[in-house]
Amino acid sequence: MNLEQNINEDSMKTLLSELQFKLDKTYKGGGEKAAQKQKEKNKMLARKRIDYLLDKDKPRIEIGAFVADGMYVEHGGCCSGGVVVMIGYIAGVQCIVVANDATVKAGAWFPLTAKKNLRAQEISIENKLPIVYLVDSAGVYLPMQDEIFPDKEHFGRMFRNNAVMSAMGIIQIAAIMGSCVAGGAYLPIMSDEAMIVDKTGSIFLAGSYLVKAAIGEDIDNETLGGATTQCEISGVTDNKYKDDESALDYIRSIFSKLGANPKAGFNRVESKLPVNDVNDVYHIIPNTRDKQYDMHQIINCLLDNSEFDEYKEKYGQSIICGIGRIDGWAVGIVANQRTVVKNKKGEMQFGGVIYSDSADKAARFIMNCNQRKIPLVFLQDVTGFMVGSKSEHGGIIKDGAKLVSAMSNAVVPKFTIIIGNSYGAGNYAMCGKAYDPRLIVGWPTARIAVMGGAQAAKTLLQITTSTLKAKGETLSPEKEAELLEKITATYNKQLSPYYAAARLWVDAIIDPADTRTWISMGIEAANHAPIEKRYNVGVIQT
């Protein structure tokens, strides 16, 4: 490697160290003290339960590890949203597991807890993927009940999804391994099968304190809704087990006997490693955003045998399109090429700008992939569509709309990897979160916002100074510089990939070396759901 490549790799490895540090902190959940309390009750921790349940020799990927990162500080925080979500395999069957983390506020539901649980169900629904709920929750976090209780995207939507998923034939298995209270009691009981762990699991609409307050009855929680009561008297739960391990063993037994379902039929052959080592991406991505790199090099690190059949190679070169394979799966790649552009002041602008010809090419390529039933992978490093009179007169809005329409109506599964910038309408056109990618992840180098920090700060400063000027006030050069610095710092914080991950705008921040695993497991999941609707792009002007 040359000096510049060494600098790039050092920069990436610093970002990866930060990622691992934050993951290690997340894995501790509510901390050692809270974890010890769970162990004293003979309960496994949420991550231990998942680890015990999933196949050890198969890959797994975690959804939403950084949910609520840095949020709810006034309430003591809510690490990972108080729930762990993992896609993996049980007895060789791919599935998604949702486990409440009782070390975090006793597994109580914050607003983002609901969003994360709904995301897990969304993945299950889209891919017809079996789902396992490991229930251990105190229910809604009451101080924030107005932000979690009644709306469409709130707590109740989960039980509606239970019913819809059951009607769709999606397998849902639940194990009650701790508290299961109030409305949350419906989740396991609306599943196909609900088991409960003796002495630690309990399920009821109202606990003993509320029963006392409501009707004056004195009763303990175990008698009210423990395993013996719900299995032998009420029949609410199906079977009870002596400990967590026994319940998890039974879930494995269920999965070992599942029948096969129809597949979507995406093309797959024997997997081959890329010719270019996937770790090479560490020294390809520049350490600053004012440098170019060739996206072809990234693609070569991701595709089997580094083989890429490029589409319209010499046309619309700010977007790269083509067919290849990832872990044996045929994929269509749509990727931004970071370019250098001079503005009218002669200043250099860096980023994957989308031009009219690029938008037209990508739209046509997406339609081709739909015709051939080839999943789409979007590699984002985009600052937006090209602006200015030349672009407007050339119909950039029309061509951009063509791309957005083709991408929005794609019926093949879409997967989005945010490598660098993801700004403005470029985020939309390249299949941002709003456009239903089956999975969307960012590398530590990702940035997501309406525009870059410097441009946004200058725009916001202009608005502020104009407002003051209208009032007859002005800012001194010193105050203006101070305000610009403050605005830039705030905006740059919001550009962080962790800011996006905390709000579930992306499913995860990942090591670039894990990209092939995410895409492969994502396509395998999507292959569970046959494509039943016809591809129709609607009205597109030519």
Side-chain angles (χ1 to χ4, degrees), residues 523-541:
I523 298 175
E524 183 181 351
N527 202 38
H528 288 84
I531 296 173
E532 297 170 351
K533 57 184 178 179
R534 178 175 171 269
Y535 179 62
N536 189 334
V537 296
V539 177
I540 291 186
Q541 292 181 323

Side-chain angles (χ1 to χ4, degrees), residues 190-216:
M190 293 185 74
S191 299
D192 301 323
E193 190 163 349
M195 59 209 71
I196 188 168
V197 178
D198 197 18
K199 307 305 180 196
T200 56
S202 59
I203 178 170
F204 32 64
L205 293 182
S208 55
Y209 291 120
L210 185 53
V211 167
K212 174 69 174 176
I215 63 173

Side-chain angles (χ1 to χ4, degrees), residues 195-424:
M195 59 209 71
I196 188 168
V197 178
D198 197 18
K199 307 305 180 196
T200 56
S202 59
I203 178 170
F204 32 64
L205 293 182
S208 55
Y209 291 120
L210 185 53
V211 167
K212 174 69 174 176
I215 63 173
E217 180 182 3
D218 280 311
I219 190 168
D220 63 88
N221 283 338
E222 183 64 26
T223 305
L224 181 66
T228 299
T229 297
Q230 301 295 21
C231 280
E232 300 176 20
I233 300 174
S234 71
V236 166
T237 51
D238 299 310
N239 286 298
K240 67 177 179 180
Y241 295 88
K242 64 177 181 178
D243 52 29
D244 285 4
E245 289 89 344
S246 299
L248 296 170
D249 286 340
Y250 180 64
I251 294 174
R252 289 190 59 82
S253 178
I254 291 173
F255 272 77
S256 71
K257 301 175 181 67
L258 294 181
N261 288 316
K263 302 293 184 185
F266 302 123
N267 184 274
R268 191 181 197 185
V269 299
E270 183 181 352
S271 176
K272 295 180 180 178
L273 291 174
V275 173
N276 295 21
D277 192 316
V278 70
N279 291 319
D280 286 351
V281 298
Y282 296 165
H283 65 248
I284 294 171
I285 300 294
N287 66 310
T288 62
R289 291 172 194 272
D290 58 355
K291 298 175 183 177
Q292 282 185 277
Y293 67 96
D294 188 353
M295 183 63 81
H296 289 94
Q297 292 181 318
I298 301 295
I299 293 170
N300 287 337
C301 292
L302 298 178
L303 295 183
D304 289 15
N305 241 8
S306 301
E307 293 176 354
F308 186 51
D309 300 327
E310 190 161 354
Y311 175 76
K312 292 183 183 256
E313 180 182 357
K314 301 300 182 183
Y315 178 74
Q317 294 182 35
S318 72
I319 292 184
I320 300 167
C321 299
I323 305 292
R325 292 187 182 276
I326 291 178
D327 196 24
W329 296 103
V331 295
I333 301 288
V334 182
N336 303 111
Q337 178 71 290
R338 189 186 287 189
T339 53
V340 181
V341 181
K342 282 188 178 181
N343 62 20
K344 287 188 175 181
K345 297 179 181 178
E347 298 170 332
M348 305 301 283
Q349 305 271 314
F350 296 86
V353 180
I354 302 175
Y355 295 86
S356 285
D357 55 358
S358 306
D360 176 74
K361 177 175 85 171
R364 292 175 184 276
F365 176 73
I366 288 168
M367 289 188 279
N368 283 346
C369 287
N370 272 275
Q371 289 287 80
R372 302 171 192 177
K373 208 155 75 169
I374 298 175
L376 289 160
V377 175
F378 293 83
L379 303 178
Q380 283 197 17
D381 190 350
V382 58
T383 52
F385 287 89
M386 191 60 189
V387 297
S389 59
K390 184 178 179 180
S391 294
E392 296 294 354
H393 297 169
I396 186 68
I397 296 174
K398 177 186 67 177
D399 291 318
K402 189 189 301 182
L403 171 55
V404 170
S405 184
M407 182 273 302
S408 299
N409 286 290
V411 296
V412 294
K414 298 171 288 190
F415 302 90
T416 302
I417 314 297
I418 303 175
I419 291 174
N421 299 326
S422 180
Y423 294 158

Side-chain angles (χ1 to χ4, degrees), residues 130-149:
I131 187 167
V132 176
Y133 307 104
L134 305 180
V135 185
D136 192 350
S137 172
V140 168
Y141 183 64
L142 291 178
M144 301 187 75
Q145 66 86 26
D146 61 323
E147 297 181 46
I148 187 174
F149 170 62

